[in-house]
Amino acid sequence: MTAGVDWVRRSSYIVVGVIACAALAAYMGPVVFSQALLNSLVLGLTLTLVALGLSLVFGILGILNLAHGQVYAVAGYVVWWLYAKEGISYWLAIVAAGAVAIILSMGMERVMRPLGTNLMASMVMGLGLIYLILGGLQEVLDVFKAGFGAMNVPSYFTGMIDVAGVKIAVERVAMLVVSIALITGTIAFLRLTKTGRATRAVALDEEAAALYGVSVPRIRVLTMAIGGVLAAAAAGLLVPMFGVEPTMGLPILFTAFIAVILGGMGSVGGVVVAGLIIGSIQSFAATILGSSTVGIVLFLTLCAILLIRPQGIAGQLIRE
Amino acid sequence: MTTQRRWVKLAALSLVGILLLLFPLVDNPVYLSTYIVMMQGVIMVQGLRLIMMTGRFSMGHAAFMATGAYVSGLLAFRLGISPWLGLVAGSVAAGFLGLILGSIVLRVSGVYFSILTLGMGELVTQIVMWARPVTGGASGFGKVASFSLAGFDFWEYRSLYAYLALAVTVIAVGVMYRLERSRVGLTLRVMSEHNDLAEHIGINVMKYRMLGFTVACFFAGAAGSLFVHSVRYARPEDFDSMKSFEMIIYAIVGGVASPIGPLLGVGFLTLMSEAFRSAAQHFLVIYGAILVLVTLLLPNGLASLPQKFRRSSGRGAIGAPGSLEIQARVSPDGGGPIVEQVANKIAGGR
């Protein structure tokens, strides 16, 4: 009975989505629409990379890492430094950014460990870490006389391809491929490998997992490291598009949060869907209403989600 | 022993009071400006405490400061209305906005509330940017009139401004302290620790939450009005998320468990930043480090220091609602002893 109702509800979502897409396509014209659609895929999937880390950390460590956006910012700066400023290889820069992100995330895990699963304390700590990392970033930039302003990063992938009359930048395609690969990889890791299953076990019941021989501290560190790598990858992909500035971690943190809440706290599949939805909201709001309204539209979306379906797409409501 | 401790406490409090009362006589505009900023901080953080008493953690309180500042500033700047009226109008506008937004955001709790308030803060700055013809957008507007009374322009007589700020702060803190000590405060305390229990004994939880939130927002508006007429300009960047975060840092460092916490937090951090003015560029790191250390070592903030010294066992036994320690100690499905105590008190009172 309930399964049937669930099925009706899900298919009604799909129908609504298709109708909305058709209406938008009719309103914007097919070319603009397909551009906006591509943009929403790109934004949505890269956002998912950041949100996935946040969601995994929430599910497994039971804390909310407000400083997750700072990992993204630091990784972005590493890419800028090695690739745009020093002119060393783009790929090497991304690998270095990943390494820095892992170290940073593991350090944060160490600092947050004494707090246990105290959400409020972890959020305060996250704020402290935001200040600490943002300040640290500025100190480093200051030492190297690099300036605090926004800076551009040249595109690595150049050129356009023509698909049925719509011009698509190779960069976008590369971003799509890399993020899909990383998201699939993360899900495959969680589903198929032994360590991944152990990770999910910790998310379900930490004590029981420990009784069955899972090293919980190790899983926690690993989760943070995975979150860091995903954020670094997102930074590596997005930095050529948006450039870098020290406070770049805050807006993406907010959007990633909305995705995590919409997806259902701690759920992996939900976050992917939610990331795509948020990405399309961002992209279409920017195209139709202008980029200055994106924040307002996102906030209203968040309100709507929390009032209508606070447990998100796939998650359960956490109560305090 | 207890009476002795009480005297010590009273003496310390009156010393602080005298210091606050005499400080505006200092004839140094920089110090006076710092003092005025401090007073705004105390009002804001006290409001944040009141919201925390409902078990919620607002990350967008600066939005209401912005409302007060923009309403009061724009009334004076565009329409030439007296800042005194602006102070009232700004506070009322902020309280009203708090009432409206509160009716949405207070429906959720915990993480959801924090994120929603963070978004709320962003929303208000976005609206200010968007309403450029009125608010001046990102560059804001300047040359706002300052308070004046009987021919004295408070902009020139900064000491008078400082006393005004002190007066508003005393009123704000007084009202919020009274509220906290009243049955409303007790009710909020029960709700923050055991919402279901509160509902079961017949408390209209939403009403009390809204009351606390609206009062906090009202005074945040007053703080905003004090701000805009003391610096005489308004820009959205003064009220962004970092401002809200700053208020949280004050609250946590001072300690949310105690009514004196906000003053301690604001005082300590402001004095520190004044003392190390030459190191101003390093403040982000220093603030971050302080917040991390306080969260780890002193979860109830500076206000819990005496308690900490008194008990060699380390952790103080009594936390207050909203304090980090209590959040950890009270499990969602089993009320702690404090909850029962307070619940009995309330149930007995009706």
Side-chain angles (χ1 to χ4, degrees):
Chain A
M1 183 59 197
T2 30
V5 173
D6 211 44
W7 179 83
V8 170
R9 205 192 60 219
R10 279 186 192 177
S11 43
S12 73
Y13 286 159
I14 295 171
V15 170
V16 168
V18 169
I19 293 174
C21 279
L24 281 171
Y27 175 69
M28 299 163 75
V31 175
V32 180
F33 174 76
S34 49
Q35 289 286 4
L37 194 65
L38 182 70
N39 266 343
S40 29
L41 277 180
V42 169
L43 285 177
L45 286 171
T46 42
L47 175 67
T48 303
L49 290 178
V50 181
L52 199 55
L54 208 57
S55 182
L56 279 176
V57 168
F58 179 80
I60 287 140
L61 278 75
I63 57 169
L64 207 56
N65 186 8
L66 288 183
H68 193 61
Q70 298 306 304
V71 178
Y72 168 83
V74 169
Y77 264 95
V78 172
V79 172
W80 167 77
W81 191 268
L82 291 179
Y83 168 58
K85 192 157 185 294
E86 302 294 332
I88 310 169
S89 138
Y90 176 65
W91 298 106
L92 190 71
I94 288 192
V95 171
V100 170
I102 290 180
I103 295 168
L104 197 60
S105 299
M106 283 164 67
M108 294 200 301
E109 195 275 336
R110 183 66 197 85
V111 179
M112 294 219 183
R113 201 179 297 166
L115 303 178
T117 55
N118 183 348
L119 262 184
M120 195 128 146
S122 81
M123 286 168 76
V124 174
M125 175 68 86
L127 274 188
L129 290 173
I130 286 181
Y131 270 76
L132 205 56
I133 297 172
L134 187 60
L137 193 60
Q138 291 196 349
E139 301 279 333
V140 172
L141 289 176
D142 197 38
V143 167
F144 290 99
K145 310 238 176 308
F148 302 152
M151 268 163 304
N152 284 323
V153 174
S155 295
Y156 179 75
F157 302 99
T158 46
M160 298 285 222
I161 45 174
D162 204 316
V163 181
V166 181
K167 280 205 176 8
I168 296 174
V170 179
E171 191 183 19
R172 304 292 161 95
V173 180
M175 286 166 87
L176 283 184
V177 172
V178 175
S179 13
I180 291 175
L182 280 170
I183 294 168
T184 326
T186 311
I187 294 176
F189 163 76
L190 288 172
R191 296 267 153 200
L192 303 178
T193 66
K194 198 174 174 187
T195 323
R197 278 198 293 272
T199 309
R200 288 192 294 141
V202 173
L204 275 178
D205 190 335
E206 202 177 291
E207 259 174 56
L211 282 174
Y212 279 90
V214 174
S215 167
V216 176
R218 195 179 291 173
I219 295 290
R220 293 165 72 101
V221 174
L222 181 72
T223 310
M224 284 294 276
I226 292 174
V229 168
L230 291 175
L237 293 172
L238 283 174
V239 153
M241 227 170 124
F242 296 123
V244 286
E245 59 179 322
T247 52
M248 67 199 254
L250 290 175
I252 196 148
L253 175 81
F254 179 55
T255 350
F257 254 127
I258 302 180
V260 171
I261 290 178
L262 175 59
M265 306 288 296
S267 141
V268 172
V271 161
V272 180
V273 179
L276 287 171
I277 294 176
I278 301 291
S280 28
I281 289 173
Q282 273 181 308
S283 160
F284 282 101
T287 319
I288 299 173
L289 304 169
S291 55
S292 62
T293 59
V294 173
I296 297 173
V297 175
L298 274 181
F299 175 74
L300 295 177
T301 315
L302 181 62
C303 284
I305 300 163
L306 287 176
L307 295 178
I308 299 166
R309 197 176 158 78
Q311 69 273 41
I313 294 172
Q316 292 165 330
L317 196 60
I318 34 165
R319 301 210 51 165
E320 288 187 47
Chain B
M1 185 62 196
T2 344
T3 41
Q4 192 191 346
R5 199 176 288 160
R6 213 166 155 173
W7 280 112
V8 171
K9 213 169 164 181
L10 205 65
L13 278 179
S14 32
L15 193 69
V16 171
I18 290 169
L19 224 71
L20 285 177
L21 207 58
L22 291 183
F23 190 86
L25 297 175
V26 174
D27 191 25
N28 181 331
V30 178
Y31 287 172
L32 287 175
S33 297
T34 311
Y35 181 86
I36 296 167
V37 171
M38 246 179 84
M39 289 302 116
Q40 295 156 14
V42 171
I43 299 176
M44 291 287 288
V45 177
Q46 199 68 252
L48 217 50
R49 263 196 79 225
L50 196 61
I51 300 176
M52 279 185 191
M53 283 191 69
T54 70
R56 285 166 171 75
F57 188 68
S58 171
M59 303 214 299
H61 205 44
F64 300 101
M65 192 174 176
T67 312
Y70 269 92
V71 168
S72 183
L74 285 173
L75 282 180
F77 181 62
R78 301 264 180 221
L79 305 175
I81 290 173
S82 154
W84 295 103
L85 272 175
L87 177 63
V88 176
S91 313
V92 170
F96 190 65
L97 187 72
L99 197 64
I100 295 173
L101 285 177
S103 66
I104 302 171
V105 299
L106 286 168
R107 283 174 200 281
V108 294
S109 65
V111 192
Y112 304 110
F113 178 80
S114 301
I115 302 304
L116 211 46
T117 44
L118 181 66
M120 197 175 69
E122 292 291 315
L123 180 75
V124 169
T125 41
Q126 293 268 351
I127 289 176
V128 167
M129 301 278 241
W130 176 71
R132 170 183 277 277
V134 184
T135 61
S139 46
F141 57 93
K143 296 267 174 246
V144 183
S146 196
F147 291 97
S148 63
L149 191 67
F152 289 104
D153 187 354
F154 285 17
W155 172 253
E156 280 166 49
Y157 298 89
R158 296 295 278 174
S159 295
L160 288 179
Y161 205 116
Y163 276 121
L164 172 68
L166 180 65
V168 175
T169 310
V170 167
I171 294 172
V173 172
V175 168
M176 287 192 254
Y177 183 69
R178 274 304 302 156
L179 199 65
E180 186 186 325
R181 280 310 178 91
S182 68
R183 261 174 72 125
V184 176
L186 267 178
T187 315
L188 288 176
R189 205 170 285 211
V190 176
M191 283 159 48
S192 81
E193 288 174 22
H194 212 310
N195 197 43
D196 290 344
L197 178 73
E199 274 186 315
H200 278 300
I201 58 177
I203 295 171
N204 183 349
V205 282
M206 195 64 192
K207 188 182 94 184
Y208 281 95
R209 274 182 217 149
M210 297 269 288
L211 181 67
F213 193 73
T214 308
V215 169
C217 294
F218 178 87
F219 286 118
S225 176
L226 281 180
F227 172 86
V228 77
H229 296 295
S230 85
V231 296
R232 299 181 65 194
Y233 63 77
R235 289 172 310 181
E237 64 181 83
D238 290 314
F239 309 106
D240 60 0
S241 301
M242 285 312 253
K243 183 82 176 186
S244 301
F245 294 169
E246 203 184 313
M247 296 304 147
I248 295 174
I249 297 186
Y250 290 150
I252 299 296
V253 169
V256 283
S258 153
I260 199 77
L263 185 64
L264 283 178
V266 174
F268 172 71
L269 288 175
T270 318
L271 290 183
M272 201 199 65
S273 52
E274 284 304 308
F276 300 102
R277 201 169 253 280
S278 55
Q281 74 207 62
H282 304 298
F283 275 151
L284 278 178
V285 176
I286 297 173
Y287 272 36
I290 289 179
L291 191 56
V292 168
L293 287 177
V294 166
T295 319
L296 285 178
L297 305 175
L298 204 64
N300 276 342
L302 290 176
S304 68
L305 263 183
Q307 216 177 357
K308 200 122 185 163
F309 277 126
R310 226 176 293 140
R311 290 166 208 273
S312 50
S313 60
R315 302 213 138 195
I318 299 164
S323 85
L324 296 178
E325 233 164 346
I326 259 265
Q327 293 283 334
R329 216 152 46 76
V330 177
S331 63
D333 45 7
I338 298 172
V339 166
E340 281 156 32
Q341 209 179 312
V342 179
N344 286 339
K345 224 167 169 176
I346 285 189
R350 48 182 70 225

